[in-house]
Structure formats: structure tokens, C-alpha cells
Amino acid sequence: MSPAIADLLRATARDRKSFIVMAVPRLAGKSTVLHAMVSERPRKAPLRTVAEDGDDIDKLLAQSRGGYIVIPEISRGAHAPGYIWGAPVRRIFQAVGAGTSLAVALHAPGPEEAFDIICHGCAVPDSDASKISVARRHGLFLGGTRGTIASSRRRTRVVDEPHLASGR
């Protein structure tokens, strides 16, 4: 990861902006990047993680006010604690922005696919999905882009950079 990208990701968490980290294949490091980012949040900002800190979404949202709520994975399958889909995802996205920021990981090759999972798969309204400020694509891939993904209602900064297939 370049120093400029690392600085942008640190600033994202320090400014308590909501973000997603997406990756393919599995074990590409998306959770590692997500945890590194939220560790840069302001020292007194709370951090609550779905399943790790409980399953009562409303209680987690209240406890994360002024900080972050983390969704370990948006996934149809409950393969591990904190993997959620549908109504719980919608509830969290609905509440984000009123003093609470969101950090989420998911398997997707790019931002268009990630927002398709969020908006069409989980039926999150575009107005709630627009609360995501930064989308970090992470993993072993060729090529790279920096820019903005936009729909008529959503603008999200896309952050990635070229990597060699060997991961260097």
C-alpha cells in the first residue's frame, strides 16, 4: 500500500467517515485493513462489532454513538459470527450518520458489485448506502483506479492501487 493511500485511509477513520473494504479472493486481507483503519479512529470514539459485542443491533448502535459500528461481513451465509444479511444490514445503514459511523467488509471485486450487494441484495435504500464515504478495494489484482463511483444519489470515493499478482 502506498503512503498516500495509507494516509487517506487513516484520515477516513480519524474523521469518522463511513467506509467499506471489499476484496476477492477470500483471505485477501479485507478484515485486516478494516481493523487497521478503525484503530485510527479518535481515541475516545467507541467501537462496537456485530456479534463480538452482542447481537442486539439497536443496543450496539446506541453504544457506538460518536464512533463506529462494525459489520464483520455482509454475507448471505452465517459462516462466522457477525456475518449478516438483509434486515439487520438495513437497520444499521438506516441509523448510520446520526453520530454513528459504519465500517463494513464484504466480498466483491469492485465498488459497483459491492453496492449491488448492499442495495439490491440487502435492499438498503440508495439514500442510506450514500452514507458510505470511502470504498477500499483490497486484494491481489492487476490494474487499479482512483476516482469516484456515482449514481444519481450516491458519491463514494474509490481507493485502490495497482498490485502485482504475486501480492507485492
Side-chain angles (χ1 to χ4, degrees), residues 13-34:
R14 288 178 183 156
D15 293 342
R16 292 186 318 110
K17 293 180 180 175
S18 293
F19 65 89
I20 60 174
V21 178
M22 67 204 116
V24 289
R26 293 198 177 286
L27 304 176
K30 68 184 180 331
S31 295
T32 301
V33 170
L34 182 146

